[in-house]
Each structure stands twice: as C-alpha cells, then as structure tokens.
Amino acid sequence: MGRSDKKAKEKKKEKKMIDLKMDAGWLNVKKANSRENPLDQLPSFQKFTRNGISVVFETTRASDMDEDTKGWIFKLLESNMKKMYQKSDWGWNEKNKKTELFEDAAWYLVARHEDGTPVAFSHFRFDMDFDDDVLYCYEIQLEPEVRRKGLGKLMMKILELLMMKSEMVKIMLTVFKHNEEATKFFKECLKYNVDETSPYNTIYEQFDYEILSRYNPKRKIEENAENVPQN
C-alpha cells in the first residue's frame, strides 16, 4: 500500500470515529434533556441549611418558568453583571441577553427560601461543544445576602453531579478575566482548569474571557483510552 493510500484510510477511519462520537454525544444530550426533573437524580441535594440560610432547590426548564421568576432572574443578572459586560468586548445587550436566558434549551437550578422567595440561580444547558457532550453553565448568580455562605459552591457541585449522572464529558463555563472574584472562585476554590477550547492571546488578538472546565473522571479515562495509538 502506498503512503498516500494509508493516510487516506487513516483519515477516513478518524472521520468515522468522530462521526460516531458526535452521534453518541447527541443521543446523550437528548436523553439528558428528556428528563422531567434532573434534580430527582440527587435526593440528598434538595435542601441547604447552613451559615444562617435555609433554601430548597429546584430544576426547571426556562419554558416552564413563571413570569415573576423570569423577571427576577433578569434583574439579578443585570444588577450583578451589567457593568462586567459593559467593560468587555461583548458589551451589554438587554434584548440578546433576555433571548439567551429564556431559550427553550435553557435549564435552571433555582434556590428559594422556604417561603418561595428566590435567592440564587444557575442557567445551564445539556449541549454539544465541538464533539463533546457537556453540561454548560451559562450563569450562576446569587443575591448579596446569601453570598459567601457556601451556597454558590454547593450549586456548582450540584451541576457537576448532574453532569456526571448524565454521563457527559465535562462541565464548562465562560468567565471574564476582569471578573477577578469569579475567576478566583472557579480556579482556586473549585479547581477548574482552562479548557482546551479556550482562546489564547496572540500579538494580533487578545481575549477578555476564558473558558474553564472540569472533566467527568469516568469519561476522561475513556477519552484517554481512545487516544492511545494502536500498534
């Protein structure tokens, strides 16, 4: 066999493997999105009572959310993040942000006081990122009075567990580099790493955000095994 024929066969085999991985990934995403209530998989993570706060958690699709909760979500995001967006290259666009927040693909993890008052939320999605099936955390926002009490850390742990229960490759998020508090929280407290898909600065282009992730340990082992050269 000539060298060119061998390379063509290797490329064809590689493309087939990528296609199979994509198909399997989309099936996994579809399965995760078909659940009525993802939080049912985590019966031990329905409540949080510590450091002077007591909340209950719920997961819901954006399409099933009541208008009052939607209004609170946008106001909290605007209060916490508008200046961060204005400082970034992306800028702040209220219309686009509302569209993103409440698309049909959006899921929410919401923490409420026992009287029903919402105090924290995370917007997340089960989706494909390139050829990986992932849980992508779009937002996590807390009211000022419940910060630094362990609630945000627990909510991220819940998302990570939902990622693993759904057998996704990893959990991902995007953070502004100038949001020093958030960067420290994700990198130092939660031990997230810069993802391989995160853009890097060059002399021609600089980025004011980075993409962070944590792998599902089980899927990471499988990914590594797939990449071992075959003799």
Side-chain angles (χ1 to χ4, degrees):
M1 182 189 300
R3 183 174 296 176
S4 59
D5 290 338
K6 186 176 180 181
K7 283 186 176 180
K9 273 199 167 185
E10 288 174 351
K11 285 185 178 180
K12 187 175 180 181
K13 182 179 179 182
E14 183 180 352
K15 183 180 183 303
K16 185 178 180 180
M17 290 179 67
I18 291 173
D19 288 344
L20 288 172
K21 184 180 178 184
M22 286 285 289
D23 290 344
W26 277 116
L27 284 173
N28 216 20
V29 168
K30 185 177 180 180
K31 181 181 177 183
N33 278 318
S34 70
R35 292 187 180 277
E36 190 66 28
N37 181 8
L39 197 59
D40 282 347
Q41 302 171 93
L42 304 173
S44 299
F45 292 85
Q46 307 284 326
K47 295 182 178 182
F48 175 77
T49 303
R50 193 180 301 168
N51 299 327
I53 61 173
S54 180
V55 298
V56 292
F57 296 113
E58 65 185 46
T59 47
T60 182
R61 294 179 177 88
S63 57
D64 296 331
M65 190 176 289
D66 64 84
E67 292 302 317
D68 286 345
T69 303
K70 287 182 178 180
W72 166 77
I73 281 172
F74 181 76
K75 286 180 181 178
L76 181 59
L77 175 65
E78 183 178 41
S79 175
N80 289 352
M81 295 298 296
K82 184 176 180 178
K83 289 182 180 179
M84 288 289 178
Y85 275 91
Q86 289 174 330
K87 191 176 178 180
S88 76
D89 293 336
W90 295 350
W92 174 259
N93 186 307
E94 181 174 323
K95 182 180 178 180
N96 290 349
K97 181 53 66 175
K98 283 184 176 179
T99 298
E100 177 188 270
L101 284 170
F102 305 121
E103 288 175 332
D104 288 344
W107 280 95
Y108 281 85
L109 172 65
V110 180
R112 298 178 184 270
H113 286 314
E114 294 184 0
D115 65 0
T117 303
V119 292
F121 77 86
S122 174
H123 165 200
F124 68 97
R125 303 189 188 193
F126 300 107
D127 206 351
M128 294 295 293
D129 187 78
F130 294 95
D131 59 348
D132 287 331
D133 43 306
V134 306
L135 187 154
Y136 210 110
C137 175
Y138 278 63
E139 302 284 351
I140 179 166
Q141 303 296 334
L142 283 70
E143 293 282 6
E145 67 268 20
V146 295
R147 295 175 194 165
R148 292 183 173 82
K149 296 179 182 290
L151 179 59
K153 186 175 181 180
L154 178 60
M155 290 177 69
M156 289 304 302
K157 174 55 69 174
I158 290 173
L159 294 186
E160 187 177 341
L161 290 171
L162 290 178
M163 174 270 293
M164 290 191 283
K165 284 287 187 179
S166 300
E167 299 181 338
M168 301 282 160
V169 173
K170 56 188 172 181
I171 181 172
M172 303 177 68
L173 57 92
T174 302
V175 63
F176 289 129
K177 293 178 181 177
H178 53 271
N179 189 346
E180 295 179 2
E181 186 175 349
T183 299
K184 183 177 180 180
F185 173 67
F186 291 118
K187 285 186 171 182
E188 298 182 16
C189 181
L190 300 183
K191 307 301 181 186
Y192 275 61
N193 296 312
V194 177
D195 191 74
E196 61 186 358
T197 64
S198 188
Y200 55 89
N201 293 338
T202 68
I203 58 173
Y204 305 106
E205 190 174 15
Q206 288 78 47
F207 299 89
D208 58 9
Y209 69 92
E210 56 188 353
I211 300 170
L212 308 179
S213 65
R214 284 192 68 169
Y215 272 86
N216 178 343
K218 182 179 177 182
R219 290 292 300 271
K220 183 67 171 177
I221 292 171
E222 293 173 358
E223 296 279 319
N224 290 341
E226 289 174 1
N227 293 326
V228 173
Q230 301 296 316
N231 294 326

